[in-house]
Amino acid sequence: MRKQSWLVLTTLATNAALASAQLPLVPHASTLVREPAPCLAAAAHYHAVNPWLLRAILKVESDFKADAVNRNANGTVDVGMAQINSIHFPELARWGVTPIRLLDGCTATYVAAWHLARQIRRHGNSWYGAASYHSTSPCQNSRYAGLLWNTLLSWNAVTGARLPVTSLKACTVPAPAASRSAALASAAASAPALAFDEAP
């Protein structure tokens, strides 16, 4: 319960601040946190995720744009700096986090840390686990891991060679179900521990 109470507290604090400022239902972008720095370290600490990795996810997802909204080919919507997919809206609503709240940089950063922590618990403290923030599909996961690595490399947070990143178009060709599940199991089993964290 402690791990999810931040959602309620963050939402209540944000709602109170917005209500007291007499802002319209859709807040002006200038009133919202646009850079994750004020909340990033606290969110990463609270959810026990690496702050560099969390920052890289926010960079890859939206280039730190708090008001980013994207429609996907499958009919879902990604909202906010962390590009939280609409499939998570029912669960987030139980904690008072609505899609409009995801347009606040701090709320989005905490939700991103929560989602990343869940994926790492589910898939392990590995690049596969970290890239599961975006997708567990082998091609999409590998592509996303490369994007995260290259972002961290550009910030000198890791050392090594730049990774080639598969094109988005190449990942849209569906694999047969049997080979997809085999590839998924293989990717999860063989993914190395994160380079900047201790081995699990």
Side-chain angles (χ1 to χ4, degrees):
M1 185 72 163
R2 178 188 168 272
K3 286 288 186 185
Q4 295 177 351
S5 64
W6 68 266
L7 285 170
V8 175
L9 294 174
T10 301
T11 300
L12 291 175
T14 304
N15 287 344
L18 292 175
S20 68
Q22 301 294 324
L23 295 175
L25 181 60
V26 179
H28 295 137
S30 62
T31 66
L32 301 176
V33 176
R34 304 197 55 83
E35 171 29 65
C39 308
L40 190 130
H45 178 75
Y46 191 86
H47 288 286
V49 296
N50 184 285
W52 282 105
L53 183 58
L54 181 58
R55 182 178 287 276
I57 286 171
L58 298 174
K59 171 70 174 165
V60 169
E61 288 293 335
S62 70
D63 197 24
F64 304 118
K65 292 181 181 83
D67 57 354
V69 177
N70 291 291
R71 293 207 173 274
N72 301 308
N74 65 3
T76 62
V77 179
D78 297 331
V79 177
M81 185 183 305
Q83 291 291 276
I84 300 299
N85 190 273
S86 55
I87 63 169
H88 303 291
F89 290 176
E91 184 173 3
L92 292 171
R94 292 195 312 250
W95 300 101
V97 178
T98 62
I100 194 99
R101 294 277 49 91
L102 294 172
L103 296 174
D104 173 74
C106 278
T107 301
T109 300
Y110 270 91
V111 172
W114 164 77
H115 182 57
L116 176 60
R118 287 188 342 160
Q119 296 309 311
I120 288 174
R121 279 193 306 273
R122 184 175 294 142
H123 301 289
N125 186 24
S126 63
W127 284 107
Y128 181 84
S132 292
Y133 178 94
H134 178 73
S135 177
T136 57
S137 163
C139 186
Q140 292 282 356
N141 184 283
S142 176
R143 178 180 186 282
Y144 196 76
L147 291 171
L148 293 175
W149 174 264
N150 290 343
T151 298
L152 291 165
L153 193 63
S154 74
W155 294 337
N156 296 317
V158 295
T159 58
R162 189 166 174 79
L163 295 178
V165 176
T166 305
S167 75
L168 189 56
K169 186 175 180 179
C171 286
T172 58
V173 178
S179 65
R180 182 184 182 278
S181 60
L184 184 62
S186 172
S190 64
L194 296 175
F196 44 80
D197 282 340
E198 294 178 24

